[in-house]
């Protein structure tokens, strides 16, 4: 009789970052015996990004704990409907309601300061005469907004290696909300200057999540990796059969 396959943790990064933002969390998870997948998110469209992450999830043999940071929270809200997803974990993230966009959720609360630091850059759209718009953060403002408690040398590298988010992603409504049918955990970064912490709290409370608060900048995975890993392991333990 074959043994059941253990859970795989799929880590979904956010806007203005890439998969390396989980570099300090992954060793914590693998040391605990967990399998980890940390894909690159295209950051082109909420619906399309979620479809891509859903394909990654479907390719995993066995149950998945799906983790999303920041914009990645919106992505897992859609992608988390896959049959093998057992739990969702939001890290300083957007927990959208069905029919809600990032812009609508964020617009309920005072700006964090991020809006004044955004840079808009046109990019070509394949097969179209139209151009898209990439959104990134002013390099000089990135460390203070995103990574105030991260090593300054690393924060400087992150500032110039951003993965922009296409502007269309902010306006797309979520067609589904996976947290309605999946147990969910949420981490509020209380010193977040990228997303107003109240945006995080509101989404988590609305979803009935198990929530923790950590004194951290937006990049909580780099500043507080042990706290992040502990929350993910809580989700793993709670969903074990």
């Amino acid at each position: 009789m074959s043994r059941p396959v253990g859970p795989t943790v799929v880590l979904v990064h956010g806007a203005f970052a890439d998969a390396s933002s989980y570099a300090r969390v992954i060793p914590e998870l693998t040391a605990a015996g967990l399998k980890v997948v940390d894909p690159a998110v295209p950051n082109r469209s909420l619906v399309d990004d979620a479809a891509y992450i859903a394909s990654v999830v479907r390719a995993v043999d066995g149950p998945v704990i799906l983790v999303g940071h920041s914009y990645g929270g919106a992505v897992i809200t859609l992608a988390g409907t896959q049959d093998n997803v057992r739990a969702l974990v939001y890290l300083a993230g957007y927990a959208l309601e069905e029919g809600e966009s990032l812009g609508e959720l964020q617009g309920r609360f005072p700006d964090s300061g991020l809006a004044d630091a955004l840079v808009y850059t046109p990019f070509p759209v394949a097969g179209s005469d139209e151009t898209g718009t990439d959104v990134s953060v002013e390099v000089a403002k990135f460390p203070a907004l995103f990574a105030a408690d991260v090593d300054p040398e690393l924060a400087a590298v992150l500032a110039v290696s951003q993965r922009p988010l296409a502007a269309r992603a902010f306006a797309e409504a979520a067609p589904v909300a996976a947290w309605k049918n999946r147990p969910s955990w949420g981490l509020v970064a209380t010193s977040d200057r990228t997303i107003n912490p109240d945006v995080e709290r509101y989404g988590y409370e609305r979803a009935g999540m198990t929530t923790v608060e950590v004194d951290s900048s937006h990049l909580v995975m780099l500043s507080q990796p042990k706290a992040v890993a502990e929350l993910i392991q809580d989700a793993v333990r709670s969903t074990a059969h």
Side-chain angles (χ1 to χ4, degrees):
M1 185 174 177
S2 60
R3 295 176 60 187
V5 177
T8 296
V9 178
V10 176
L11 303 169
V12 181
H13 68 78
F16 322 127
D18 61 24
S20 68
S21 55
Y22 286 104
R24 295 189 67 196
V25 172
I26 291 171
E28 300 281 343
L29 299 176
T30 55
L34 291 166
K35 292 174 289 184
V36 177
V37 176
D38 186 17
V41 182
N43 282 4
R44 299 293 81 188
S45 149
L46 175 58
V47 172
D48 292 346
D49 292 345
Y52 173 70
I53 293 300
S55 75
V56 172
V57 168
R58 289 194 299 272
V60 173
D61 181 20
V64 164
I65 307 299
L66 192 53
V67 181
H69 173 246
S70 189
Y71 168 67
V75 174
I76 70 170
T77 298
L78 279 60
T81 58
Q82 299 306 300
D83 290 344
N84 58 334
V85 173
R86 296 291 178 267
L88 306 172
V89 180
Y90 291 77
L91 306 173
Y94 295 102
L96 298 179
E97 173 61 279
E98 187 175 323
E100 184 178 56
S101 70
L102 286 166
E104 288 170 341
L105 174 55
Q106 192 151 274
R108 298 171 189 263
F109 298 89
D111 287 339
S112 62
L114 178 66
D116 293 333
L118 295 178
V119 177
Y120 301 90
T121 309
F123 68 86
V125 177
S128 172
D129 293 332
E130 302 286 324
T131 57
T133 301
D134 260 342
V135 183
S136 58
V137 180
E138 285 184 47
V139 169
K141 294 181 178 179
F142 184 99
L145 283 172
F146 258 69
D149 53 359
V150 174
D151 177 82
E153 290 186 0
L154 175 56
V157 171
L158 297 173
V160 299
S161 58
Q162 296 176 50
R163 192 180 186 101
L165 179 66
R168 63 180 290 193
F170 290 97
E172 289 180 294
V176 294
W179 49 258
K180 292 179 183 288
N181 299 300
R182 301 288 188 279
S184 303
W185 284 256
L187 182 149
V188 176
T190 60
S191 296
D192 199 333
R193 294 185 60 198
T194 300
I195 300 176
N196 184 330
D198 285 339
V199 172
E200 301 164 19
R201 292 187 185 99
Y202 174 81
Y204 300 167
E205 291 170 5
R206 180 173 61 181
M209 295 187 196
T210 300
T211 304
V212 300
E213 302 213 354
V214 176
D215 184 12
S216 169
S217 70
H218 190 58
L219 284 176
V220 63
M221 308 91 73
L222 289 171
S223 67
Q224 300 283 350
K226 290 187 181 297
V228 170
E230 286 171 8
L231 185 64
I232 294 170
Q233 290 179 73
D234 284 346
V236 171
R237 286 188 289 267
S238 296
T239 56
H241 296 299

